[in-house]
């Protein structure tokens, strides 16, 4: 267990805004760079990509951890393989306006997924469905709920909580909760 | 859904500004739930008690109940409160209660 | 303004539990001895802070159940999987210490000002533990000898889950009408209302909007949404319906 964390058996709902009611008909997942949309997938297109089952521990900065959570989703590698970019960072953007930033190497090499299944069921809206990011090796605020795409960046740019003093990287094993940790 | 429970109205499953009454006193030094906040996005002018409040997050988030825009965000970073009021066009004390400048 | 307005910093006080009363199988009232308490108004709440041995803290808000001038009391509903409430309802004993800060709130408050004969009637709408701040208002009304016509509409799952039942029933005499609706189960021969609060029930039991009632709605978030929307649907101006949401409790 990372330092300062407590194991919980339920799945607390964390959110900074209302649960969006996304229609899957108009839902898309996009990869953008500057003002260009490099690639965009519809819901059926995402579901047609090879999906993986992942079992991981998740760690929330509000100090709960949940062990052996089971997810289903598409590896972010699969998505980024379809665009050509030398970007160093990504900013995930979401329905409701939430954003969060990460180095690109933290969402590649099998370390991050676009998750749409949890515990064998479609991901519930309150937990981020239809789809959320899953970046289990970072604090869970990086696993953006209701995610709609990734913005590729050359320089790191703070997302929502990062703007308010949360850590730009957020490694639970180094207890990087706040800027400067 | 059983007859005994009230339907969970998805987007409205938030708390309200009463729940951050204590936090607002910490920030402003005085009671603020009755103070009127004007949303910079849609112009709605309502007591802070009536904002939609999300506390199950790394910080406290207060949103306009009319348009859901962010009004106030408070992140407690170590012992410091980091406060963003940019979503408010104005904040007025209710009659009879002073808000320190 | 009542002389209880709080100025300056809100500090954590360490109270001592004077007394605990089991209200229902899952609800308990805790009376506190609090030195340095500046006094409170009816409808206000306080924050409770629990600290674990390793320094981890959890804070929750609880409405003040007692009237201004009475010892500070809170009434807590146990949520089985909750972090804080089971400690308050099951573990805390008289003589134990409890950290609180308050009083908090200036919006969801009934001061009783203008509550002399001919004053605005009071319309109180409670769901589950949302009765707590409204009970403080009812006690305050009685203590100041107010005669404003008052109605309380109280939604509970079943009769044994009604909090303060004996006390509420005793108000019947002087201008307070208490109306129950039981949403899950009703005792045999139940003559009160059944089912959830909706615009139809509100239209039947509320003061006409034209009477300009001072209106307070409190309970779990989904309940407050339903009741406040119902009042607006029967003509109450939204700006006149004061609401306080306890969260996703009471499911
Ligand atoms: C102003 C105010 C006054 C209050 N007054 C009272 C009072 O007088 N009496 C009283 O009993 N309570 C009152 N409450 C509620 C109280 O503050 C606590 O929320 C309650 O006691 C539960 O705390 P807990 O730690 O036991 O439960 P928690 O650990 O907070 O969990 C509560 C329950 O809700 C679920 N839950 C938590 N968050 C979410 C979410 N985002 N979405 C869905 N489900 C969720 C949990 O799984 C659990 O079942 C008041 C709240 C406010 C804001």
């Amino acid at each position: 267990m990372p330092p300062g964390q407590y194991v919980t058996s339920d799945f607390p709902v964390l959110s900074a805004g209302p649960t969006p009611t996304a229609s899957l008909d108009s839902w898309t997942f996009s990869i953008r760079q500057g003002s260009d949309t490099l690639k965009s997938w519809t819901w059926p297109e995402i579901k047609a990509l090879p999906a993986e089952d992942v079992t991981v521990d998740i760690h929330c900065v509000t100090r709960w951890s949940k062990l052996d959570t089971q997810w289903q989703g598409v590896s972010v590698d699969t998505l980024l393989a379809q665009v050509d970019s030398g970007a160093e960072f990504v900013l995930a953007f979401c329905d409701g306006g939430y954003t969060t930033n990460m180095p690109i190497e933290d969402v590649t090499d099998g370390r991050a997924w676009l998750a749409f299944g949890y515990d064998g069921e479609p991901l519930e809206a309150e937990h981020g469905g239809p789809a959320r990011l899953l970046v289990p090796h970072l604090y869970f605020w990086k696993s953006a709920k209701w995610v709609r795409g990734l913005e590729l960046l050359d320089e790191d740019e703070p997302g929502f909580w990062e703007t308010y003093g949360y850590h730009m990287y957020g490694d639970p094993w180094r207890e990087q909760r706040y800027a400067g940790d | 859904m059983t007859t005994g429970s009230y339907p969970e109205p998805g987007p409205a499953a938030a708390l309200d500004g009463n729940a951050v009454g204590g936090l607002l006193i910490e920030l402003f030094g005085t009671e603020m739930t009755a103070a009127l906040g004007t949303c910079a996005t849609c112009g709605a002018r309502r007591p802070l008690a009536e904002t939609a409040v999300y506390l199950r997050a790394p910080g406290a988030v207060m949103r306009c109940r009319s348009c859901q825009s962010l009004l106030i965000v408070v992140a407690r970073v170590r012992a410091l409160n980091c406060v963003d009021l940019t979503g408010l066009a104005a904040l007025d004390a209710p009659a009879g209660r002073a808000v320190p400048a | 303004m009542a002389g209880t307005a709080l100025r300056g910093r809100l500090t954590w006080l360490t109270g001592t539990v004077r007394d605990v009363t089991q209200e229902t199988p899952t609800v308990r009232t805790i009376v506190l001895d609090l030195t340095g308490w500046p006094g409170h108004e009816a409808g206000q709440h306080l924050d409770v802070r629990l600290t674990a041995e390793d320094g981890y803290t959890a804070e929750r808000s609880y409405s003040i159940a007692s009237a201004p001038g009475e010892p500070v009391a809170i009434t807590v509903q146990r949520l089985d999987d909750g972090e804080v409430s089971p400690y308050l309802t099951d573990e805390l004993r008289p003589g134990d210490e409890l950290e609180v800060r308050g009083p908090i709130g200036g919006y969801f408050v009934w001061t009783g000002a203008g509550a002399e004969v001919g004053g605005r009637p009071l319309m109180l709408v409670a769901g589950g533990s949302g009765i707590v701040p409204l009970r403080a208002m009812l006690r305050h009304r009685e203590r100041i000898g107010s005669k404003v016509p008052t109605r309380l509409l109280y939604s509970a799952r079943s009769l044994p889950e009604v909090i303060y039942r004996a006390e509420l029933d005793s108000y019947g005499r002087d201008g307070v009408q208490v109306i129950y609706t039981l949403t899950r189960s009703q005792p045999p021969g139940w003559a009160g209302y059944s089912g959830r609060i909706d615009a139809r029930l509100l239209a039947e039991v509320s003061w006409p909007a034209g009477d300009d009632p001072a209106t307070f709605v409190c309970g779990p978030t989904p309940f407050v949404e339903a009741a406040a929307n119902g009042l607006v649907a029967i003509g109450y101006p939204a700006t006149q319906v004061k609401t306080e949401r306890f969260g996703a409790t009471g499911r």
Side-chain angles (χ1 to χ4, degrees):
Chain A
M1 284 280 289
Q5 296 293 114
Y6 302 76
V7 175
T8 178
S9 57
D10 50 62
F11 192 167
V13 173
L14 265 91
S15 93
T19 303
T21 41
S23 155
L24 290 181
D25 295 340
S26 55
W27 186 94
T28 54
F29 186 88
S30 309
I31 296 181
R32 301 197 304 227
Q33 191 161 32
S35 49
D36 299 330
T37 297
L38 304 184
K39 172 81 193 169
S40 186
W41 293 264
T42 63
W43 182 252
E45 286 165 352
I46 285 287
K47 295 295 295 242
L49 296 172
E52 299 174 9
D53 291 310
V54 231
T55 301
V56 289
D57 300 343
I58 55 180
H59 309 290
C60 179
V61 72
T62 62
R63 296 188 184 271
W64 56 263
S65 289
K66 191 167 166 61
L67 308 181
D68 295 330
T69 56
Q70 294 181 14
W71 302 83
Q72 191 190 35
V74 172
S75 168
V76 174
D77 291 311
T78 309
L79 304 171
L80 288 175
Q82 301 197 26
V83 300
D84 199 14
S85 119
E88 298 281 321
F89 297 92
V90 296
L91 186 71
F93 55 89
C94 306
D95 274 328
Y98 183 78
T99 55
T100 188
N101 57 305
M102 283 157 283
I104 202 146
E105 61 189 39
D106 284 88
V107 295
T108 47
D109 272 342
R111 302 174 88 189
W113 293 266
L114 176 67
F116 41 70
Y118 178 75
D119 237 357
E121 305 284 337
L123 183 61
E124 285 177 48
E126 66 169 7
H127 287 304
R132 75 181 296 163
L133 275 191
L134 176 64
V135 193
H137 69 287
L138 299 180
Y139 278 125
F140 210 47
W141 87 79
K142 300 283 187 181
S143 293
K145 292 162 73 161
W146 312 305
V147 70
R148 292 293 297 274
L150 298 175
E151 169 102 51
L152 303 176
L153 301 168
D154 293 331
E155 276 168 42
D156 205 1
E157 221 174 75
F160 184 83
W161 288 116
E162 293 84 2
T163 307
Y164 296 113
Y166 279 84
H167 202 278
M168 289 292 270
Y169 185 64
D171 180 353
W173 298 96
R174 286 184 279 165
E175 224 177 334
Q176 292 173 335
R177 297 176 195 276
Y178 312 119
D181 279 349
Chain B
M1 170 141 304
T2 65
T3 51
S5 64
Y6 290 84
E8 193 82 39
L15 288 166
D16 59 37
N18 298 298
V20 286
L23 177 63
L24 292 171
I25 296 175
E26 262 181 53
L27 299 177
F28 291 91
T30 189
E31 137 57 32
M32 290 295 288
T33 60
L36 296 171
T38 305
C39 173
T41 307
C42 76
R45 185 166 180 266
R46 304 292 303 146
L48 293 187
E50 294 181 10
T51 55
V53 169
Y54 298 84
L55 291 182
R56 306 261 162 177
V61 175
M62 301 172 69
R63 290 177 182 270
C64 172
R65 219 168 254 284
S66 308
C67 75
Q68 296 299 339
S69 297
L70 293 170
L71 297 180
I72 302 181
V73 180
V74 187
R76 193 185 304 249
V77 173
R78 302 191 191 88
L80 271 184
N81 283 313
C82 173
V83 188
D84 179 0
L85 301 173
T86 49
L88 283 173
L91 186 55
D92 306 303
R97 299 212 190 220
V99 180
Chain C
M1 206 196 319
T4 52
L6 181 74
R7 285 290 174 271
R9 281 190 42 174
L10 185 62
T11 45
W12 290 98
L13 303 171
T14 303
T16 308
V17 176
R18 179 194 294 189
D19 197 21
V20 299
T21 313
Q22 204 68 34
E23 303 280 359
T24 78
T26 57
V27 175
R28 197 196 230 191
T29 294
I30 298 158
V31 184
L32 295 172
D33 280 323
L34 270 173
T35 328
W37 183 254
H40 62 270
E41 294 176 326
Q44 288 185 306
H45 67 270
L46 50 73
D47 289 345
V48 166
R49 177 165 75 183
L50 303 185
T51 306
E53 268 163 36
D54 60 4
Y56 173 76
T57 59
E59 290 174 24
R60 295 291 184 276
S61 299
Y62 293 96
S63 300
I64 301 168
S66 46
E70 294 182 317
V72 173
I74 58 174
T75 299
V76 181
Q77 159 104 55
R78 182 198 156 93
L79 297 185
D80 291 341
D81 55 350
E83 200 171 36
V84 171
S85 62
Y87 174 80
L88 299 176
T89 56
D90 301 2
E91 308 287 327
L92 206 60
R93 302 268 173 278
D96 287 353
E97 291 188 334
L98 187 66
E99 249 192 318
V100 305
R101 65 175 189 183
I104 297 164
Y107 160 91
F108 200 80
V109 162
W110 187 71
T111 59
E116 50 287 336
V117 181
R120 294 170 73 192
L122 250 186
M123 182 69 217
L124 308 177
V125 184
S129 53
I131 186 64
V132 178
L134 308 185
R135 185 255 200 152
M137 295 178 192
L138 288 170
R139 288 178 82 94
H140 183 50
R141 177 187 176 281
E142 178 150 283
R143 283 168 61 94
I144 62 175
S146 164
K147 295 281 178 277
V148 285
T150 299
R151 282 181 187 165
L152 166 67
L153 174 57
Y154 185 1
S155 169
R157 290 179 186 168
S158 68
L159 208 50
E161 285 172 90
V162 169
I163 308 170
Y164 315 129
R165 185 162 161 230
E167 177 177 325
L168 295 178
D169 287 345
S170 78
Y171 285 126
R173 6 182 187 87
D174 58 2
V176 181
Q177 284 168 266
V178 179
I179 303 131
Y180 298 108
T181 182
L182 302 179
T183 57
R184 291 214 178 148
S185 67
Q186 300 80 24
W190 173 245
Y193 291 95
S194 308
R196 297 188 235 148
I197 287 180
D198 55 15
R200 202 181 36 80
L201 174 55
L202 287 164
E204 209 170 308
V205 306
S206 307
W207 300 114
D211 292 358
D212 189 27
T215 308
F216 295 89
V217 180
C218 188
T221 296
F223 169 86
V224 171
E225 298 295 331
N229 290 340
L231 286 167
V232 171
I234 65 167
Y236 278 54
T239 49
Q240 222 155 278
V241 179
K242 292 199 170 170
T243 47
E244 181 160 278
R245 293 162 180 81
F246 279 7
T249 58
R251 274 209 264 172

